[in-house]
């Protein structure tokens, strides 16, 4: 085994390849991490390394791949002499983060997209992401034993303890979706002879019965989007679910539970509400305030 002092540039490079999913990504059956997530993981590794340095009282040494740089700003401010020698720590392993703007999928767009989906399996997968906020990998890992028995007396059902990023969590779903899922499992899915327990498996001849991969669903989504012109990615569906919950007035601590976030600040990152909605909220609030009436001048 290795100890922290063995850490080298080559080891970090191999770890980055693993995080990007370039090493047998198809076999590992996991989604590839984004550059933003990779930077966060590397920040944790770097913090641990520096903690070990300080704990052992090592005055010399730095995280492999770090280098110092000075400001190259051509503008010389009045207090430039104070920070002229200030060094900034950079890393050769820092990934360029994509400034992708999240697209909130409207009901009309989702209806148009679903209308072009031919297979029941595919429609249920996208409905699962849109109506429950489930991650794509959670949907792919969903097992038949996790599908609850439909209860006509309830409007909401729970997929108990599904696999989620190495842990377990409950996913809440409308009973209509659970009813459709139950029908699919015992009518269409049962006809596929397979030893795998996943709800969603391949129906193609050469791969029949094998668990679906991220790339297979992604390719399917892109084909449907070419037909409909409706564009979004998997995480947009999860983000849309979260924002819709917040807009409906649900307390953010409840939203945190429904989204399966370990920390509240993660939920807060989803609160990108448009100015129109913010103005509507303020208008409702101010209309209730009698002190703002027009007859108090």
């Amino acid at each position: 085994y290795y100890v922290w002092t063995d850490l080298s540039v080559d080891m970090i490079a191999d770890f980055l390849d693993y995080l990007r999913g370039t090493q047998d990504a198809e076999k590992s059956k996991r989604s590839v991490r984004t550059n933003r997530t990779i930077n966060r993981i590397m920040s944790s590794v770097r913090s641990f390394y520096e903690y070990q340095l300080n704990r052992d009282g090592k005055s010399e040494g730095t995280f492999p791949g770090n280098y110092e740089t000075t400001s190259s700003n051509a503008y010389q401010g009045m207090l430039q002499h104070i920070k002229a020698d200030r060094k900034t720590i950079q890393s050769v392993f820092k990934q360029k983060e994509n400034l992708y703007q999240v697209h909130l999928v409207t009901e009309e767009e989702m209806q148009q997209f679903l209308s072009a989906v031919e297979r029941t399996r595919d429609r249920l997968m996208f409905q699962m992401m849109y109506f429950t906020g489930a991650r794509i990998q959670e949907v792919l890992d969903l097992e038949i034993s996790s599908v609850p028995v439909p209860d006509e007396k309830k409007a909401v059902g729970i997929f108990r303890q599904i696999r989620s990023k190495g842990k377990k969590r409950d996913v809440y779903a409308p009973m209509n979706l659970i009813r459709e899922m139950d029908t699919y499992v015992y009518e269409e899915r049962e006809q596929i002879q397979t030893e795998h327990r996943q709800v969603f498996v391949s129906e193609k001849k050469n791969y029949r019965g094998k668990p679906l991969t991220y790339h297979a669903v992604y390719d399917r989504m892109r084909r449907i989007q070419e037909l409909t012109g409706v564009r979004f990615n998997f995480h947009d569906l999860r983000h849309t679910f979260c924002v819709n919950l917040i807009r409906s007035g649900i307390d953010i601590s409840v939203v945190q539970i429904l989204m399966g976030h370990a920390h509240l600040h993660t939920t807060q990152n989803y609160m990108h509400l448009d100015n129109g909605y913010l103005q509507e909220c303020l208008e409702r609030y101010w209309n209730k305030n009698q002190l703002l009436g027009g007859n108090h001048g």
Side-chain angles (χ1 to χ4, degrees):
Y1 61 91
Y2 295 99
V3 295
W4 68 274
T5 52
D6 294 331
L7 190 63
S8 66
V9 171
D10 289 339
M11 291 174 64
I12 296 176
D14 290 340
F15 183 51
L16 283 176
D17 285 339
Y18 167 76
L19 294 178
R20 294 191 192 102
T22 54
Q23 297 178 344
D24 295 330
E26 190 73 20
K27 295 180 181 179
S28 63
K29 301 176 185 176
R30 59 181 177 81
S31 58
V32 178
R33 293 170 174 83
T34 64
N35 285 351
R36 184 177 183 181
T37 300
I38 291 175
N39 284 336
R40 287 182 177 179
I41 294 174
M42 292 305 301
S43 178
S44 298
V45 174
R46 182 164 48 252
S47 296
F48 173 77
Y49 187 90
E50 292 172 351
Y51 164 78
Q52 293 289 355
L53 282 176
N54 294 331
R55 191 192 68 168
D56 291 359
K58 297 181 182 294
S59 58
E60 297 182 358
T62 182
F63 186 73
N66 278 1
Y67 65 94
E68 292 184 346
T69 181
T70 56
S71 175
S72 58
N73 191 353
Y75 173 73
Q76 301 295 315
M78 182 176 64
L79 300 178
Q80 176 65 23
H81 62 283
I82 296 178
K83 59 179 182 179
D85 296 330
R86 183 175 297 175
K87 305 291 185 181
T88 301
I89 302 298
Q90 300 289 340
S91 173
V92 297
F93 296 111
K94 183 175 178 59
Q95 307 296 298
K96 184 177 180 181
E97 297 185 9
N98 185 11
L99 300 178
Y100 172 77
Q101 296 295 320
V102 174
H103 171 65
L104 299 181
V105 184
T106 66
E107 290 186 16
E108 293 75 14
E109 288 176 326
M110 199 60 195
Q111 184 175 1
Q112 182 180 353
F113 177 87
L114 292 175
S115 65
V117 180
E118 298 178 354
R119 295 179 178 175
T120 303
R121 179 202 65 188
D122 298 340
R123 178 172 53 80
L124 288 174
M125 284 193 297
F126 288 108
Q127 285 182 313
M128 187 78 179
M129 287 183 276
Y130 183 75
F131 289 113
T132 73
R135 302 177 178 91
I136 175 59
Q137 198 60 47
E138 291 174 342
V139 174
L140 294 176
D141 290 339
L142 187 66
E143 297 182 357
I144 294 177
S145 59
S146 299
V147 180
V149 177
D151 187 344
E152 300 299 332
K153 298 179 181 180
K154 297 180 179 180
V156 178
I158 308 175
F159 291 85
R160 299 283 186 183
Q161 296 298 288
I162 70 169
R163 284 192 288 173
S164 175
K165 302 180 71 172
K167 300 178 182 179
K168 298 279 187 177
R169 81 175 183 100
D170 293 341
V171 171
Y172 297 78
M175 193 58 66
N176 288 341
L177 178 59
I178 291 176
R179 190 182 303 111
E180 289 188 45
M181 188 86 72
D182 183 76
T183 301
Y184 166 76
V185 167
Y186 292 103
E187 289 185 4
E188 296 186 37
R189 169 64 172 77
E190 193 176 45
Q191 297 178 9
I192 302 176
Q193 301 297 323
T194 175
E195 60 183 9
H196 296 288
R197 298 173 295 177
Q198 281 84 356
V199 172
F200 303 112
V201 295
S202 177
E203 299 174 1
K204 290 184 177 180
K205 183 178 180 180
N206 294 339
Y207 303 97
R208 187 174 178 83
K210 294 184 178 180
L212 283 174
T213 64
Y214 175 95
H215 298 292
V217 182
Y218 181 85
D219 289 341
R220 183 61 182 161
M221 178 180 68
R222 287 305 182 209
R223 293 193 192 99
I224 298 172
Q225 290 178 342
E226 289 295 330
L227 294 174
T228 61
V230 178
R231 304 282 181 178
F232 56 80
N233 62 32
F234 294 129
H235 195 75
D236 286 338
L237 299 179
R238 176 171 167 80
H239 201 123
T240 298
F241 175 73
C242 184
V243 171
N244 286 342
L245 290 177
I246 297 171
R247 285 181 172 179
S248 68
I250 296 179
D251 187 89
I252 191 172
S253 60
V254 177
V255 176
Q256 176 189 357
I257 296 174
L258 296 177
M259 294 295 290
H261 292 152
H263 306 287
L264 185 60
H265 67 78
T266 304
T267 311
Q268 292 172 334
N269 290 333
Y270 284 74
M271 297 180 65
H272 304 300
L273 306 178
D274 58 81
N275 291 331
Y277 175 73
L278 296 177
Q279 291 173 6
E280 290 176 9
C281 291
L282 285 173
E283 185 177 342
R284 288 196 299 268
Y285 170 74
W286 284 329
N287 284 340
K288 294 179 181 179
N289 194 324
Q290 296 181 359
L291 295 178
L292 288 174
N295 298 322
H296 296 279

